[in-house]
Amino acid sequence: MAKIKPSKGSPYARILGVGGYRPVRVVPNEVILETIDSSDEWIRSRSGIETRHWANDEETVAAMSVEASGKAIADAGITAAQIGAVIVSTVSHFKQTPAVATEIADKLGTDKAAAFDISAGCAGFGYGLTLAKGMIVEGSAEYVLVIGVERLSDLTDLEDRATAFLFGDGAGAVVVGPATEPAIGPTVWGSEGDKSETIKQTVPWTDYRDGEVAKFPAITQEGQAVFRWAVFEMAKVAKEALDAAGITAEELDVFIPHQANERIIDSMVKTLKLPESVTVARDVRTTGNTSAASIPLAMERLLATGEAKSGDTALVIGFGAGLVYAATVVTLP
């Protein structure tokens, strides 16, 4: 009986470069207030959001991804031709097939890289990062591009007081490559499908196609239920990720949670008992909730502003529709 040769991958993987793209148009809360009965003070107190970015017609999911990816590839010090796989997490690419990842891989100039999309909502970046790490350790790719990208303005009901102010557009990307020591910890991830109704698309595409509803599908959520789940359950997941990596809260340099809501972020910081020395990402204030893009965008901004630095130890956690979640500890590029 023939034996299969073992894979020749790297013993470890790490994030080598990061890039981001935010659409040109900045949308303040005043614009949101044109269609909902609320106030700037209420939006800020409930979410921490002051502004968000909305894409124009040219800023497609693919176009934003290419911009963010080009920056990440340059930051990693490699060429696009060295990318062996492209993983794109998005829920706002409206073509069922082909995967937008294939278009992005081609436009970047990769050498026929494997390319596919995943749908894991706000946890999508963590899912993609975990897959990339596995590819590198297994040996099926030397460098993997992981992209989180959304045009959630296309899925926002501007008359829904509970969600109209939440969502923004943008793309974040990282290059994952080989490492000589651990730099991406074990992933603590999972799903709670019994809570899937708490964040969902209002109706299936087919209902709109068949004329059963007149309004284009949008994202809706049960705000209080989501808040309670995120605050209490995701803090436990974050702690599990720290334990899995052998890191204590006191040893952490940076905390990059999904940028869903600043109240959730504050509550998680308190529950985890993070010391004041830990830098906490608060990109939600000016970027809003960009789902799969929020963690890499927040990471890119922290590094660009100097609030975080190369080599820092960061806890990242994404959570959202599904309900799904993924948390891990990484060394920043």
Side-chain angles (χ1 to χ4, degrees):
M1 182 180 292
K3 291 185 178 181
I4 297 174
K5 292 172 61 176
S7 300
K8 294 182 179 180
S10 170
Y12 306 109
R14 68 174 295 137
I15 299 174
L16 298 174
V18 59
Y21 180 83
R22 293 171 175 80
V24 174
R25 184 187 178 193
V26 177
V27 180
N29 288 338
E30 285 73 18
V31 172
I32 307 299
L33 296 175
E34 294 174 3
T35 52
I36 61 170
D37 180 17
S38 188
S39 68
D40 177 63
E41 181 183 5
W42 186 88
I43 292 174
R44 292 183 188 226
S45 66
R46 299 287 291 184
S47 67
I49 298 172
E50 303 166 9
T51 61
R52 73 283 294 147
H53 295 255
W54 283 355
N56 60 34
D57 290 344
E58 288 73 39
E59 292 167 322
T60 64
V61 165
M64 292 191 293
S65 296
V66 168
E67 290 291 329
S69 299
K71 295 175 184 177
I73 291 168
D75 192 41
I78 65 169
T79 67
Q82 292 175 273
I83 297 292
V86 177
I87 303 171
V88 178
S89 178
T90 185
V91 298
S92 48
H93 174 58
F94 291 152
K95 287 184 179 179
Q96 194 70 37
T97 192
V100 73
T102 59
E103 178 184 349
I104 295 165
D106 178 63
K107 288 184 174 179
L108 287 171
T110 67
D111 185 16
K112 300 180 181 178
F116 59 95
D117 298 351
I118 60 174
S119 177
C122 306
F125 176 74
Y127 275 46
L129 187 63
T130 303
L131 294 173
K133 174 186 174 183
M135 290 177 182
I136 290 158
V137 172
E138 187 271 337
S140 58
E142 185 176 11
Y143 299 101
V144 180
L145 180 64
V146 180
I147 304 166
V149 57
E150 301 292 2
R151 273 183 54 123
L152 293 182
S153 57
D154 292 331
L155 286 168
T156 299
D157 180 354
L158 293 178
E159 296 179 348
D160 181 354
R161 190 172 184 272
T163 61
F165 60 91
L166 286 175
F167 303 120
D169 303 337
V174 299
V175 172
V176 183
T180 57
E181 59 183 26
I184 300 176
T187 300
V188 177
W189 58 351
S191 65
E192 297 185 33
D194 60 316
K195 300 179 180 67
S196 61
E197 292 294 302
T198 56
I199 307 175
K200 63 180 182 179
Q201 184 171 303
T202 48
V203 295
W205 300 115
T206 48
D207 285 5
Y208 181 74
R209 180 199 65 189
D210 297 340
E212 295 181 24
V213 294
K215 183 177 284 190
F216 192 75
I219 298 173
T220 186
Q221 68 176 29
E222 298 174 15
Q224 287 301 315
V226 172
F227 182 87
R228 288 192 298 270
W229 176 76
V231 168
F232 297 108
E233 298 303 321
M234 292 305 97
K236 297 176 186 176
V237 171
K239 180 62 168 61
E240 288 178 32
L242 287 174
D243 292 343
I247 300 292
T248 66
E250 290 71 26
E251 295 174 306
L252 202 61
D253 299 308
V254 184
F255 179 42
I256 312 177
H258 165 48
Q259 302 293 293
N261 179 309
E262 194 164 35
R263 290 172 63 212
I264 292 175
I265 294 171
D266 288 338
S267 295
M268 292 181 73
V269 168
K270 183 177 180 180
T271 302
L272 289 168
K273 298 180 180 179
L274 298 183
E276 292 186 6
S277 59
V278 175
T279 297
V280 180
R282 298 184 184 279
D283 195 44
V284 66
R285 293 173 179 172
T286 55
T287 305
N289 180 344
T290 55
S291 189
S294 80
I295 290 175
L297 277 174
M299 183 184 295
E300 184 257 356
R301 175 160 281 172
L302 289 176
L303 289 167
T305 60
E307 296 173 81
K309 61 183 185 298
S310 175
D312 278 353
T313 301
L315 168 63
V316 299
I317 178 170
F319 45 86
L323 293 170
V324 294
Y325 55 87
T328 188
V329 175
V330 303
T331 301
L332 294 181

